[in-house]
Amino acid sequence: MSENIEKIKCLIIGSGPAGYTAAIYAARADMKPVMYTGMQMGGQLTTTTEVDNFPGYAEGTDGTAMMEDLKKQAERFGTEVRFGLVTKVDLSEEVGGIHKIIVDENKHIEAETVIISTGATAKYLGLESEQRLIGGGVSACATCDGFFYKGQDVVVVGAGDTAAEEATYLANICSKVTILVRKDYMKASKAMQHRVNKTKNIEVLYNTEIDEVLGTNVVEGVRAINNQTKETHDIPVTGVFIAIGHTPNSDLFKGVLDMDETGYLITKGKTTKTNLPGVFAAGDIQDKEYRQAVTAAGTGCMAALDAERYLGALE
């Protein structure tokens, strides 16, 4: 068995802006990082057609191209990027302890440090038409994509603070924002509800859901259904923003690492340190506030620096 165990200094679990940035910094620090990308190489951003708000891309780029740029940069400094899925972890509780990882059910790795950047997955409604038009007018991030709908009419789906925040953000850009709320009330805080109600170009439709997203290649509207009367009507819009939450990809670490009630990993203070020594978390797996590519990249940098300092303190 011991002959089949690979020993590495720094293992990065998950790709995306956080993982790749951590890899760039770890590689430059001669930590010889190995990254397992997970099943979605490049993470959530690969589902985004256009990225216009990441520094350095003056003309904008698309998510897949941007992730490929980050991957190449990480590899240029010596990161070994592997396509594979971590399926089991046995993380040490001892300072200087070795973390045991299994990849794809059969490959055994022993790592001195682990950087977790597995991200979070946006929740969608699950409609065929919605899934087909992701990137063609259906989005789960108003801050990322709202700019492309300047002066247009859009729909926001959701009833919580996230939906209210996305709607008020979009109201500054778009002609009209219609919020579809499944129940007869919003779950958002009173303060956020007041903001929504005071914004003239926001309309809230209660007891209303999306029956279908209309359009072949791009969004042309939604067919809304009143779940009480079962009446339907079409709303002509060019953008549909799903704001019903995210699911952190943290199942692998349940019962092992500290996390909040929704599954986001908890890091200490302004660091990326988890409750276990030598284990760090970066990006959307530990950030439910900002969820931007640039903030994820920032915490990826922090995680690599934290890991480097951790190893340095052991010498």
Side-chain angles (χ1 to χ4, degrees):
M1 174 68 76
S2 60
E3 293 178 4
N4 298 322
I5 296 175
E6 182 180 10
K7 299 178 187 294
I8 62 177
K9 260 190 181 182
C10 178
L11 174 70
I12 300 171
I13 305 175
S15 42
Y20 285 133
T21 305
I24 291 166
Y25 275 80
R28 285 170 59 86
D30 201 28
M31 292 166 67
K32 299 178 175 57
V34 173
M35 170 190 284
Y36 278 95
T37 64
M39 292 298 100
Q40 189 177 36
M41 184 181 288
Q44 281 188 89
L45 231 62
T46 57
T47 66
T48 302
T49 51
E50 295 181 76
V51 178
D52 235 17
N53 57 2
F54 196 90
Y57 290 93
E59 303 302 321
T61 183
D62 72 72
T64 301
M66 181 179 153
M67 289 304 98
E68 189 59 31
D69 285 345
L70 289 180
K71 176 174 176 285
K72 287 177 182 175
Q73 190 175 2
E75 289 177 326
R76 178 162 73 90
F77 293 116
T79 302
E80 189 170 340
V81 178
R82 302 173 182 172
F83 183 76
L85 185 68
V86 172
T87 49
K88 190 176 180 182
V89 296
D90 180 9
L91 303 178
S92 173
E93 297 181 4
E94 303 296 324
V95 174
I98 297 299
H99 307 291
K100 300 176 181 179
I101 314 290
I102 297 178
V103 180
D104 296 329
E105 306 288 356
N106 55 27
K107 181 168 181 57
H108 293 253
I109 289 174
E110 291 187 350
E112 294 176 50
T113 60
V114 176
I115 295 174
I116 300 164
S117 56
T118 48
T121 303
K123 295 178 183 177
Y124 285 94
L125 303 173
L127 300 170
E128 183 279 328
S129 54
E130 168 208 49
Q131 296 296 303
R132 177 168 47 82
L133 289 167
I134 290 174
V138 173
S139 170
C141 180
T143 315
C144 311
D145 301 326
F147 176 80
F148 302 112
Y149 302 91
K150 190 174 183 179
Q152 301 172 45
D153 292 356
V154 298
V155 155
V156 172
V157 179
D161 278 349
T162 299
E165 287 169 8
E166 301 245 303
T168 51
Y169 173 84
L170 289 165
N172 292 320
I173 302 168
C174 303
S175 294
K176 182 180 179 182
V177 179
T178 304
I179 306 179
L180 304 185
V181 178
R182 189 162 50 95
K183 296 184 178 179
D184 60 358
Y185 62 92
M186 289 192 76
K187 296 187 296 182
S189 64
K190 292 298 181 185
M192 287 307 303
Q193 289 188 52
H194 289 320
R195 279 178 61 185
V196 166
N197 293 332
K198 286 195 300 184
T199 307
K200 291 181 179 179
N201 60 336
I202 294 180
E203 180 183 9
V204 183
L205 300 180
Y206 295 98
N207 295 315
T208 304
E209 302 176 48
I210 290 182
D211 189 48
E212 187 176 358
V213 182
L214 307 174
T216 304
N217 298 313
V218 295
V219 170
E220 297 173 6
V222 298
R223 178 161 299 128
I225 182 169
N226 184 299
N227 54 32
Q228 301 297 304
T229 65
K230 304 306 178 186
E231 292 179 2
T232 63
H233 70 284
D234 292 353
I235 306 173
V237 293
T238 53
V240 178
F241 292 87
I242 310 299
I244 56 176
H246 288 72
T247 302
N249 302 320
S250 60
D251 285 354
L252 192 62
F253 310 104
K254 283 183 176 171
V256 179
L257 295 176
D258 289 346
M259 54 184 73
D260 69 12
E261 68 280 357
T262 54
Y264 286 90
L265 297 186
I266 295 171
T267 49
K268 296 180 180 179
K270 294 182 179 180
T271 75
T272 62
K273 299 174 183 177
T274 67
N275 58 298
L276 294 184
V279 181
F280 310 90
D284 287 10
I285 190 65
Q286 54 86 53
D287 171 27
K288 59 182 179 182
E289 295 297 326
Y290 302 103
R291 292 197 296 262
Q292 299 299 300
V294 69
T295 51
T299 56
C301 161
M302 291 163 60
L305 294 175
D306 285 341
E308 180 188 5
R309 289 165 184 167
Y310 168 80
L311 289 174
L314 296 176
E315 293 175 358

